[in-house]
Amino acid sequence: MSDFCPQRFKKIFPLLCLSESEGKPLIYFDNAATTQKPQNVIDATSNYYLNCNANVHRSSHQLSRSATALFEKSRVDAQRFINASSEQEIVWTKGTTEAINIVAQCYGSVFLSKDDEILLSHSEHHANIVPWQEVAKRTGAKIRVLPLTSDGKIDTDNLSTYISPKTAIVACTLISNTVGKVNDINGIVKAARNVGAKILVDAAQAVAHIKIDVQSLDCDFLVYSGHKMFGPTGIGVLFGKRELLMKMPPYQFGGEMIKNVSFSGTTYGELPFKFESGTPNISAVLGLSAAIKFVEEYREQFVQYERALTEYCFKQLNQIPNLTLLFTDIPDIPVFSFIIDEHHNQDIASFLDTNNIAVRAGHHCAMPLMEYLSLDGCIRVSLAPYNTRAEVDSLINVLNQYLTQELRTTVDETSALEDINH
Ligand code: PMP
């Protein structure tokens, strides 16, 4: 066991410390929605405005040169983080959603046609469904959907039923935001390669937990958001293989993405600038670079702790009467989705909230998954390495409290009714 100390780790996150010092410690179990931000990320973001605020890539002054150097150094950090072969393969986006939209619009809508198929899975986030529906509408291509195994992973046993020479693109999540299991993306990539299909990997939930190597994965596109890995909101990455990005037309048009503009015609810039029109979110790029360094520094240390915490939380949740996890075996990352018989998930989440425990209830932007499981929603508890066993114990206590109170209310209501009837 490593000597990782969650309490010490938590001290790096000002918001969590503030809630403690105000005597109302927040138990933040909504990390799959967004993680809290460590001090170095906050510092990197504000340092830009405090010390080097200038536009990038254009002005001829010292301040702009410093900002540009930091901005482009961040791209090298992002390249190293997923082992892309060139920084030209790293495109800054607003996040995962925008990155998928770029691929859908600039690859899907341009290169697919009516005889093609787009292969998704039942556990995709809406961000990896809706853009493809739009591609299907525009091109006439058909969407097919991979089923899940009983433990919630993408079923790769019968890939040949779904992947054929008609398959033009496979877009799948590495880890679903509701299931928390690592999908066999290697198997999917191999099958896609055999028929010449392109593959996009949604790594939004994976980057904070597992090391990614796009070269050994051999995917064509991989996307993620900074805010789910301790970075700022409003920034994400589209990795794309150079030869594909070269073939694709730009996403948006304007300044920054051009080589030469005249009224007789415009030529576009080199990669990756061709996809980065307008002034970018410079402070968030610098913040993401700090988040990358943060994850690189701590991931080895917290991985074992996170596993032990996952096992503990899984065991404890299983002891709550009438609580059913959507999938019965332990998730690979600490994301637990469940329902409790006869209780609406929103009521439970509100009760937890009044006890300062932040969870998410609803469809988790995965309505097709809810439909697949015949559910209208569920509760999701998602942990990060600053969470502790004591916090899990508090969750279990509050859930038990809620259930006994509810039981009491139901019994009281029944006896009141009986009194009236007598
Ligand atoms: N894919 C997955 C698996 C996600 O969990 C999320 C965010 N919940 C997204 C895509 C969309 O990310 P963003 O909202 O940051 O664009």
Side-chain angles (χ1 to χ4, degrees):
M1 190 74 175
S2 77
D3 54 4
F4 177 78
C5 171
Q7 285 84 2
R8 218 178 315 133
F9 187 69
K10 196 175 200 170
K11 294 224 158 26
I12 311 173
F13 294 80
L15 186 145
L16 298 173
C17 295
L18 186 69
S19 76
E20 265 174 20
S21 69
E22 285 174 347
K24 266 184 98 187
L26 169 68
I27 299 183
Y28 187 75
F29 282 164
D30 196 17
N31 294 286
T34 198
T35 54
Q36 294 302 329
K37 315 305 172 204
Q39 189 66 55
N40 76 316
V41 167
I42 297 168
D43 288 346
T45 309
S46 56
N47 180 56
Y48 165 69
Y49 291 115
L50 286 170
N51 297 313
C52 57
N53 178 47
N55 214 328
V56 290
H57 298 142
R58 35 190 111 192
S59 313
S60 46
H61 54 82
Q62 183 57 47
L63 200 56
S64 170
R65 275 198 294 277
S66 315
T68 304
L70 286 174
F71 185 81
E72 286 308 321
K73 211 193 134 297
S74 303
R75 203 185 300 270
V76 177
D77 294 333
Q79 175 204 346
R80 182 190 63 244
F81 187 55
I82 55 170
N83 194 31
S85 58
S86 149
E87 65 257 37
Q88 287 192 312
E89 298 183 321
I90 303 293
V91 178
W92 300 124
T93 67
K94 281 196 290 187
T96 306
T97 305
E98 188 177 55
I100 296 172
N101 272 282
I102 295 175
V103 180
Q105 201 166 300
C106 306
Y107 185 83
S109 290
V110 176
F111 296 106
L112 268 58
S113 59
K114 74 172 179 34
D115 294 326
D116 288 328
E117 291 180 355
I118 300 163
L119 186 60
L120 310 176
S121 89
H122 273 288
S123 60
E124 300 309 314
H125 187 281
H126 296 165
N128 199 27
I129 297 175
V130 186
W132 298 112
Q133 289 177 323
E134 229 17 67
V135 173
K137 255 194 249 169
R138 286 180 198 176
T139 62
K142 279 167 210 62
I143 290 183
R144 297 195 66 195
V145 189
L146 283 164
L148 306 182
T149 59
S150 58
D151 63 355
K153 287 190 190 175
I154 298 175
D155 192 344
T156 51
D157 277 355
N158 297 304
L159 280 180
S160 58
T161 318
Y162 292 88
I163 299 186
S164 74
K166 284 184 167 185
T167 315
I169 187 152
V170 185
C172 283
T173 188
L174 183 48
I175 305 183
S176 141
N177 67 329
T178 316
V179 183
K181 306 251 171 72
V182 180
N183 288 315
D184 174 17
I185 293 294
N186 282 314
I188 298 174
V189 171
K190 269 196 203 105
R193 284 275 164 267
N194 284 341
V195 295
K198 302 292 176 258
I199 168 118
L200 176 143
V201 177
D202 175 354
Q205 291 296 334
V207 275
H209 302 278
I210 58 176
K211 193 164 169 27
I212 286 171
D213 181 330
V214 288
Q215 292 191 65
S216 71
L217 200 55
D218 193 28
C219 54
D220 297 294
F221 303 102
L222 183 134
V223 295
Y224 69 88
S225 303
H227 70 97
K228 290 182 197 284
M229 49 164 283
F230 313 110
T233 52
I235 187 70
V237 165
L238 161 63
F239 155 80
K241 280 193 175 161
R242 195 170 178 281
E243 65 271 22
L244 284 172
L245 293 178
M246 293 277 284
K247 262 176 56 175
M248 288 157 55
Y251 177 57
Q252 290 181 332
F253 301 82
E256 276 280 296
M257 50 77 69
I258 52 85
K259 192 180 277 166
N260 193 50
V261 179
S262 87
F263 283 110
S264 59
T266 290
T267 50
Y268 304 129
E270 303 286 320
L271 286 179
F273 309 113
K274 175 174 108 173
F275 291 102
E276 296 178 358
S277 58
T279 299
N281 191 349
I282 305 165
S283 66
V285 165
L286 305 191
L288 176 57
S289 156
I292 286 172
K293 287 176 196 140
F294 182 80
V295 171
E296 286 174 336
E297 181 183 348
Y298 284 100
R299 189 171 40 207
E300 295 272 293
Q301 297 177 42
F302 66 57
V303 76
Q304 260 185 304
Y305 171 74
E306 206 173 61
R307 189 66 206 149
L309 191 64
T310 306
E311 282 165 16
Y312 185 70
C313 189
F314 179 70
K315 195 166 130 239
Q316 298 307 102
L317 283 171
N318 269 314
Q319 286 174 13
I320 305 259
N322 303 331
L323 183 150
T324 312
L325 288 161
L326 299 200
F327 301 98
T328 47
D329 58 350
I330 188 162
D332 296 315
I333 63 163
V335 169
F336 302 91
S337 296
F338 59 84
I339 49 168
I340 301 184
D341 285 354
E342 288 163 30
H343 295 281
H344 196 277
N345 55 65
Q346 197 57 59
D347 294 342
I348 302 169
S350 303
F351 187 78
L352 291 171
D353 183 42
T354 55
N355 286 276
N356 245 10
I357 302 178
V359 302
R360 180 157 170 199
H363 52 64
H364 311 290
C365 294
M367 280 178 163
L369 175 63
M370 295 299 121
E371 195 183 335
Y372 188 73
L373 300 170
S374 306
L375 294 172
D376 57 5
C378 61
I379 298 177
R380 183 183 68 190
V381 166
S382 52
L383 280 54
Y386 40 66
N387 293 129
T388 61
R389 280 178 176 229
E391 290 180 334
V392 172
D393 291 342
S394 299
L395 168 75
I396 302 300
N397 285 340
V398 174
L399 281 175
N400 276 324
Q401 234 178 63
Y402 174 80
L403 289 173
T404 31
Q405 254 183 35
E406 275 292 294
L407 198 64
R408 220 181 303 127
T409 319
T410 322
V411 171
D412 288 352
E413 276 166 7
T414 318
S415 10
L417 266 178
E418 279 169 3
D419 286 349
I420 293 167
N421 288 339
H422 280 121

